[in-house]
Amino acid sequence: MESKNFFLCITILLFAASSSSSSEILQKQTYIIQLHPNSETAKTFTSKYDWHLSFLQEAVLGVEEESFEEPSSRILYSYGSAIEGFSAQLTESEAETLRNSPEVVAVRPDHVLQVQTTYSYKFLGLDGGLGNSGVWSKSRFGQGTIVGVLDTGVWPESPSFDDTGMPSVPRKWKGICQEGENFSSSSCNRKLIGARFFIRGHRVANSPQESPNMPREYISARDSTGHGTHTASTVGGSSVSMASVLGNGAGVARGMAPGAHIAVYKVCWFNGCYSSDILAAIDVAIQDKVDVLSLSLGGFPIPLYDDTIAIGTFRAMEHGISVICAAGNNGPIDSSVANTAPWVSTIGAGTLDRRFPAVVRLANGKLLYGESLYPGKGLKNAERELEVVYVTGGERGTEFCLRGSLPREKVKGKMVICDRGVNGRSEKGEAIKEAGGVAMILANTEINQEEDSIDVHLLPATLIGYAESVVLKGYVNATVKPKARIIFGGTVIGRSRAPEVAQFSARGPSLANPSILKPDMIAPGVNIIAAWPQNLGPTGLPYDARRVNFTVMSGTSMSCPHVSGITALIRSTYPNWSLAAIKSAMMTSADLYDRQGKVIRDGNNPAGLFAIGAGHVNPGKAINPGLVYNIQPVDYITYLCSIGFTRSDVLAITHKNVSCSGILRKNPSFSLNYPSISVIFKRGKKMEMVTRRVTNVGSPDSVYSVKVKAPQGIKVIVNPKRLVFKHKDETLSYRVWFVLKKRNRGEKVVGSFGQGQLTWVNSRNLMQRVRSPISVTFKNN
């Protein structure tokens, strides 16, 4: 599936109803109305719904209305947990009337977002590998935790959701198994303990599905596209023996927390995921008592006070729910990272050391490395030598192999080169088949470089990197009758450097929140094999007649559920830890080095902090972090005030009506106790200071000494340099001063950013290191 066209191409759209008609009905669109949480007026109504309805009734009476429809028919959702408010169909004039109400905090148009294994648990050492003592055994496989997955639904019959050996449903669980199309209450079990669907926002914004080329959409929690089934099984899928994708990647499939319970909230449909539906799901998930929320969806960065996910998850965090979000897939563009609220764990994507080689052998003997999950190993018909063509020119998109663009007389019986982009990767293969072609070489363009997101192609095919594509096209252009064959190599593990940063993984610095380093960390997100609906082919295309239980996908959509599952393991191990402590444990123990002991790469260069955040998650170290950075919910409010948010902004985000000036007078040198450190030098500033507090969650009588790698051009001073803990759960503070080094006349700071790290080393166990990345931004210095 083409990452830039499906779940990897993240686009935020504001949808508006058609203005071509004068009818008020046709001019309505969905708005989310946020109300003051402690209104005295609310107490005069018998229910919150009646209170919410009163606002709509007042708005309708306040403008001329050509329709006689009941106002109650226009309310989509009444919220009470994620925010106080409701979503409704309004005209622009009605929305403006509500904005002027003193009890209304904000009126926001609905947004639409897009959705962003057999081996990865071994790569992460969860099974006791990598020298770990066995995270699964220590955490009891995540038993007792409930992970809520907001996505495209679930295929409950998948063997990954078998509940054999699962404990009883936790007594605290308040959710349901919502019945719907081809989904009954018996579809849930002790593994998949709950399922709901939220479609009202999507339904009012879209006409009924009519395209014959679209898979069937179930009006229920049943998954129609496969994305949600894939992510849910990555979080906590049960053990499935002999899992593979048509023979490739064979092994035992398990989720990160195979003992955890899964609750599915279907919020994403064929035309995207509407914020009104997402907010309704978060609202209900809080009431259902989930422990972790996993959101493999998002968009471009937007301000926190307009970000529905940030606003809804603040309340979730206050209720003790860990929130894990995909960083987005608009990399390698700078400042493309989304979901940047500090109470959310923002996850980028990295690679595995598992490869599926499918090498192109040119007739001149030259070999071009490629990869594919097409099951062609040892098949003479799949590996035979063929004439190669690359059809270019015209305005039909032939170089991209768009359906209907390829002339049959040029491609029949041949191997066709297709450039990546515009349409889906697997869809290009169908276009070739329709035109009579028999094989494909999918060629990365300059924008894709050497990215290797692979597919279970419909015909013999392989994906080659940009450097190889230049060689291939040069050969074709210089040869009268160019020929090649694809040699499929099956599955190869451990022979390549990993992890590396995925090129598509969104990058910092955060536009919406530059004072916090984002993404927080990276996790496996490239070529992840996980569960798949049994009525879909492995490509997900409607004309793919093959059927599988597992398939491969790539994206931060895949890395997010890895960390969601690891979060469940840590919560199960330490049920009394704060949400911030769990996040801190993963960040401060993250890896900067790959499996070969070399610095993690981003392309051909060492990965920077804006690509990997704190590093690549290492659950074996995170389960025993030594020290953690705790944050209380009230600290986030102080933080928002400290970075210049207004009283109304803070109210919109946190539902708290506070005086920022009063808070800042009480906390004049406030620093959010975040595991990473971000410093911004504004014009004229020569020094910045931050304070941090660490809590000993390891052995009593522990002593830690500091080691600093200072950013270029910065002197770093830490006081104290040693932290002596006498007791477990003891908290100590330290301060860090960042001082601009004196420069010679005319000398400038090299670049706009600097990076370093501050590490506390346990003097009695030198392998226990608590590391905080340091990001420095120079503004107009």
Side-chain angles (χ1 to χ4, degrees), residues 65 187 224 304 637:
E65 178 65 32
S187 297
S224 303
L304 295 182
I637 298 174

Side-chain angles (χ1 to χ4, degrees), residues 604-620:
N604 295 320
N605 301 309
L609 297 184
F610 295 136
I612 63 171
H616 190 280
V617 66
N618 184 327

Side-chain angles (χ1 to χ4, degrees), residues 322-394:
S322 296
V323 182
I324 320 298
C325 290
N329 301 278
N330 289 308
I333 300 170
D334 290 341
S335 297
S336 55
V337 64
N339 295 320
T340 59
W343 48 89
V344 164
S345 294
T346 309
I347 313 303
T351 64
L352 300 172
D353 62 352
R354 178 178 59 187
R355 296 288 185 265
F356 303 95
V359 177
V360 178
R361 182 173 181 175
L362 305 179
N364 63 9
K366 190 169 184 62
L367 300 177
L368 303 178
Y369 182 77
E371 292 196 51
S372 176
L373 268 176
Y374 181 81
K377 184 178 181 181
L379 299 179
K380 292 183 179 180
N381 192 50
E383 297 185 333
R384 70 187 190 275
E385 187 173 78
L386 298 165
E387 184 178 348
V388 181
V389 294
Y390 179 46
V391 186
T392 60

Side-chain angles (χ1 to χ4, degrees), residues 2 50 64 131 136 212-213 257 269 288 310 319 328 338 348 398 421 437 466 477 499 515 614 631 649 678 697 717 730:
E2 176 56 56
D50 289 337
E64 286 192 25
W136 273 342
N213 293 323
W269 308 82
D288 287 348
H319 283 82
T398 53
Y466 176 60
N477 291 333
S515 59
I631 301 174
D649 294 337
S678 297
V697 293
I717 303 170
E730 182 181 358

Side-chain angles (χ1 to χ4, degrees), residues 322-324 339-347 516-521 563 567 570-571 577-590 614 617 622 625 627-631 636 672 674-676:
S322 296
V323 182
I324 320 298
N339 295 320
T340 59
W343 48 89
V344 164
S345 294
T346 309
I347 313 303
I516 296 290
L517 175 62
K518 292 284 184 171
D520 289 307
M521 67 196 94
V563 175
T567 299
I570 299 174
R571 284 188 71 122
W577 276 16
S578 69
L579 307 185
I582 295 171
K583 180 177 179 177
S584 170
M586 292 187 287
M587 289 180 64
T588 60
S589 63
V617 66
L627 306 176
V628 295
Y629 292 83
N630 271 312
I631 301 174
Y636 293 116
L672 185 66
Y674 211 71
S676 60

